[in-house]
C-alpha cells in the first residue's frame, strides 16, 4: 500500500477512537448523574397555599373577619364562639367500617377489654399493687366534711398576770410587752395556764375562750371580747 492510504487509515482509526472515548465519557456522566441528588441544600421555602382545615364545614366559608377584629368588636353572649376545630362532632361507632369506628368500635378483636360491660373495676391494674394502695395513708388526718379543725395560737391565763388592772389585753399588747412569743397562727385562744390567774378587771380580746378561762376572767371582774377571725373586729362580749 501507498503511504497516503496508510496515513488516511491511521487518521480514520484515531477519529473512531476519539468518538468512542467521547461516547464513553457521556455514558459515564449520565450514569453518575442518576445517583446524584438534584435538590439544593438551601432553605426550602413552601409555596403551598393550603391553610388549616376547619373541622366544622359550616364555618369554612363563613366570613368571621369582624369577630377577628378584637379591638373593634364587643363580645357578648350571642356572638361568642369556640375556636375553629376545638369542638368536634361525636363519633358514631358501630355503623360500618367506612365510618372508621365500625365492627369492633376501636376495642380490638378480642381480649378482656373488648368484652361487653365493664371488664375491670376502677383502679384495677391487672393484679399488681394498685396506685391507691401504693400511696401512704394520712394517719390521724381524716378528710371530708365534719373533720376540719381550727388551729389556734394558745394564750395561757398566767401570761396575763402582768397586765395592769382595768386595761385591755390582746395578743399584740402581750407580744409588745414580752409576755408571750410570736405565733405562726393568726387567731388566738385563751386557755387556763398552770399558775393561778391573779389579774383584776381586765378586758381580754381573743378569737376564742375556753369555758374555764372565761369563768376565771369574769370571776376577777374582767370581760371577754370575741374577735372576728378575718377583720379582728369585736363581734361579741
Amino acid at each position: 500500500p501507498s503511504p497516503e492510504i496508510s496515513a488516511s487509515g491511521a487518521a480514520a482509526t484515531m477519529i473512531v477512537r476519539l468518538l468512542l472515548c467521547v461516547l464513553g465519557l457521556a455514558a459515564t456522566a449520565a450514569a453518575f448523574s442518576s445517583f446524584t441528588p438534584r435538590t439544593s441544600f438551601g432553605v426550602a421555602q413552601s409555596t403551598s397555599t393550603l391553610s388549616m382545615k376547619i373541622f366544622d364545614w359550616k364555618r369554612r366559608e363563613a366570613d368571621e373577619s369582624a369577630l377577628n377584629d378584637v379591638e373593634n368588636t364587643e363580645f357578648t353572649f350571642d356572638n361568642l364562639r369556640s375556636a375553629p376545630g376545638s369542638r368536634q362532632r361525636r363519633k358514631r361507632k358501630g355503623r360500618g367500617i367506612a365510618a372508621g369506628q365500625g365492627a369492633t368500635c376501636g376495642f380490638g378483636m378480642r381480649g378482656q377489654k373488648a368484652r361487653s360491660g365493664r371488664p375491670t373495676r376502677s383502679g384495677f391494674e391487672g393484679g399488681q399493687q394498685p396506685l391507691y394502695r401504693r400511696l401512704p395513708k394520712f394517719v390521724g388526718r381524716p378528710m371530708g366534711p365534719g373533720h376540719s379543725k381550727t388551729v389556734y395560737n394558745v394564750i395561757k391565763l398566767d401570761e396575763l398576770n402582768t397586765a395592769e388592772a382595768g386595761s385591755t389585753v390582746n395578743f399584740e399588747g402581750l407580744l409588745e410587752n414580752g409576755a408571750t412569743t410570736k405565733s405562726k397562727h393568726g387567731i388566738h385562744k385563751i386557755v387556763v395556764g398552770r399558775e393561778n390567774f391573779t389579774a383584776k378587771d381586765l378586758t381580754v380580746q381573743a378569737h376564742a375562750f375556753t369555758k374555764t378561762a372565761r369563768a376565771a376572767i369574769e370571776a376577777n371582774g374582767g370581760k371577754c371580747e370575741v374577735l372576728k377571725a378575718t377583720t379582728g373586729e369585736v363581734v361579741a362580749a
Side-chain angles (χ1 to χ4, degrees), residues 23-54:
L23 292 176
L25 291 174
T28 305
F32 181 74
S33 63
S34 62
F35 295 99
T36 303
R38 299 189 179 185
T39 58
S40 62
F41 293 96
V43 178
Q45 297 184 4
S46 175
T47 58
S48 176
T49 59
L50 297 177
S51 59
M52 183 186 71
K53 178 182 178 181
I54 301 178

Side-chain angles (χ1 to χ4, degrees), residues 103-120:
T104 57
C105 303
F107 289 93
M109 295 295 293
R110 60 184 66 86
Q112 184 182 18
K113 294 183 179 180
R115 309 305 177 188
S116 62
R118 192 182 184 98
T120 58

Side-chain angles (χ1 to χ4, degrees), residues 207-218:
H207 300 90
F209 297 85
T210 61
K211 293 182 179 180
T212 311
R214 180 183 288 271
I217 293 172
E218 293 176 351

Side-chain angles (χ1 to χ4, degrees), residues 160 162-170 199-204 222-223:
L160 280 62
T162 58
E164 298 180 359
S167 61
T168 301
V169 181
N170 51 28
K200 303 291 184 179
D201 302 332
L202 294 182
T203 302
V204 184
K223 185 174 63 174

